[in-house]
Amino acid sequence: QTRVYGRDRVKFMESLVVGDIAELKPGQGTLTLLTNEKGGIVDDLIVTNALEDHLYVVSNAGCADKDLAIMRGRAAELQAAGGDVHLEMLDNALLALQGPSMARVLQAGLPDDLAKLSFMNSITTTVFGVAGCRVTRCGYTGEDGVEISVPAGQAVELAERLLGVPEVWPAGLAARDSLRLEAGLCLYGNDIDETTTPAEAGLLWTLGKRRRAAMDFPGAAIIMAQVKEKPKRKRVGLTSVGPPIRPHMAILGPEGTPVGTVTSGCPSPSLGKNIAMGYVEAAHSRAGTALIIEVRKKQHPALVTKMPFVPTQYYMAK
């Protein structure tokens, strides 16, 4: 978690990511992509226009070191050219409270009215007596939920307070993985990485309209050429019966020739069937296309399926 200060903070952020950061309202955040000069995805970030005159940036933990090196390098370039930007790394933990009961559970320990906090918006507040927390209505499960940035020294205290509520349970990464896959959400390192572009990944919605026109983000020429000409491969959803589909399994066309690779897969607890994501040649990417997955040298039928597999439950304040 990083705070970006200074009058050139938006210019700084937009020199790294594809999103329209300037259009974010106070307290509003967006999922955006940190790209490289080849159009590859270095990381997916959440950037929030904090009410306190800074940008609040959340990186994936596994990418934190490389993200920080890139951000520090760009900040130094801007500063050398007379720009006003500086970074502050936060020693905060991040707790995600997700699911249909989240609002009722959290409201009991919050002075603010959660009904006014919309999806991808953020406030700084006290949570169950722990001051200085940032509550963002987001999370990587497809459910209504929040991510709570809490001072590291009080993270255990807050987690224990939340777990003291009977309907709050600890959830491991397997549960998070099945939920995010049901919601059709990419996992960095599996479904997106520095070899995939936003066009291939089906993430062109993260490109701001103004940014597309300006073409002023890393890799813009390559990404916008793919927008125009269509990418040769695409990320798709897949469903199947039989043994579960796992990452790195081969995706075959109807004739049995390789057309792609699985990047994520698991049995869906909500649907009672196997779900997966993968990249296939564009000709095989249309929903309803019958394909074959090779599981332990045996072939099993699969179907290209629209995502999300399970409808998302993001909360939009009225």
Side-chain angles (χ1 to χ4, degrees):
Q1 299 168 62
T2 310
R3 288 178 183 154
V4 185
Y5 291 93
R7 67 174 180 274
D8 294 318
R9 61 188 181 275
V10 170
K11 177 184 174 183
F12 162 79
M13 209 68 229
E14 289 192 349
S15 73
L16 298 172
V17 303
V18 302
D20 192 338
I21 307 305
E23 75 167 4
L24 292 174
K25 297 180 178 70
Q28 185 183 24
T30 187
L31 180 75
T32 191
L33 305 174
L34 178 65
T35 49
N36 62 26
E37 293 304 331
K38 294 181 180 176
I41 301 169
V42 178
D43 197 7
D44 55 323
L45 311 172
I46 292 180
V47 179
T48 300
N49 180 15
L51 293 163
E52 302 86 0
D53 290 336
H54 64 265
L55 298 176
Y56 168 64
V57 183
V58 179
S59 307
N60 280 297
C63 299
D65 291 343
K66 69 172 180 178
D67 290 1
L68 194 51
I70 291 167
M71 289 171 74
R72 280 178 168 156
R74 186 58 51 85
E77 286 172 16
L78 259 176
Q79 288 161 356
D84 178 29
V85 63
H86 63 277
L87 310 177
E88 179 195 350
M89 312 312 136
L90 293 186
D91 183 28
N92 277 22
L94 207 57
L95 299 176
L97 184 67
Q98 304 279 301
S101 302
M102 179 284 297
R104 188 161 41 82
V105 168
L106 191 62
Q107 189 61 77
L110 211 63
D112 309 80
D113 183 3
L114 261 183
K116 293 177 181 174
L117 190 67
S118 226
F119 178 60
M120 293 308 293
N121 280 262
S122 173
I123 52 171
T124 302
T125 186
T126 298
V127 183
F128 285 100
V130 178
C133 294
R134 177 171 291 281
V135 175
T136 307
R137 200 152 197 165
C138 70
Y140 229 57
T141 61
E143 296 296 319
D144 183 22
V146 293
E147 289 187 343
I148 306 168
S149 175
V150 52
Q154 291 173 284
V156 172
E157 176 192 336
L158 181 55
E160 287 175 344
R161 287 294 302 268
L162 290 167
L163 288 168
V165 180
E167 60 208 294
V168 176
W169 291 70
L173 287 176
R176 196 287 305 265
D177 203 43
S178 65
L179 283 161
R180 69 93 191 165
L181 190 47
E182 288 178 346
L185 301 172
C186 295
L187 180 64
Y188 193 85
N190 284 43
D191 312 297
I192 49 175
D193 58 28
E194 293 190 33
T195 69
T196 53
T197 68
E200 293 170 335
L203 295 173
L204 289 176
W205 60 269
T206 61
L207 273 65
K209 188 176 177 182
R210 173 178 62 83
R211 307 301 310 281
R212 291 182 188 222
M215 290 182 62
D216 58 353
F217 50 86
I222 292 168
I223 293 166
M224 294 312 295
Q226 287 187 347
V227 171
K228 193 175 178 182
E229 298 155 17
K230 307 299 180 202
K232 293 182 174 63
R233 62 174 190 149
K234 288 184 176 179
R235 177 174 65 95
V236 297
L238 298 160
T239 53
S240 75
V241 291
I245 310 173
R246 298 296 185 190
H248 313 300
M249 288 179 173
I251 304 172
L252 312 176
E255 310 81 25
T257 52
V259 297
T261 308
V262 175
T263 53
S264 287
C266 69
S268 164
S270 302
L271 299 177
K273 58 184 172 185
N274 302 320
I275 59 172
M277 273 186 219
Y279 285 84
V280 298
E281 294 168 7
H284 299 276
S285 64
R286 189 182 294 273
T289 302
L291 295 172
I292 297 161
I293 308 287
E294 196 167 84
V295 184
R296 291 186 290 278
K297 298 187 178 177
K298 290 187 178 176
Q299 296 186 355
H300 298 273
L303 200 64
V304 176
T305 306
K306 282 187 178 178
M307 297 183 282
F309 299 102
V310 175
T312 53
Q313 303 292 332
Y314 306 129
Y315 174 81
M316 302 300 173
K318 294 183 174 55

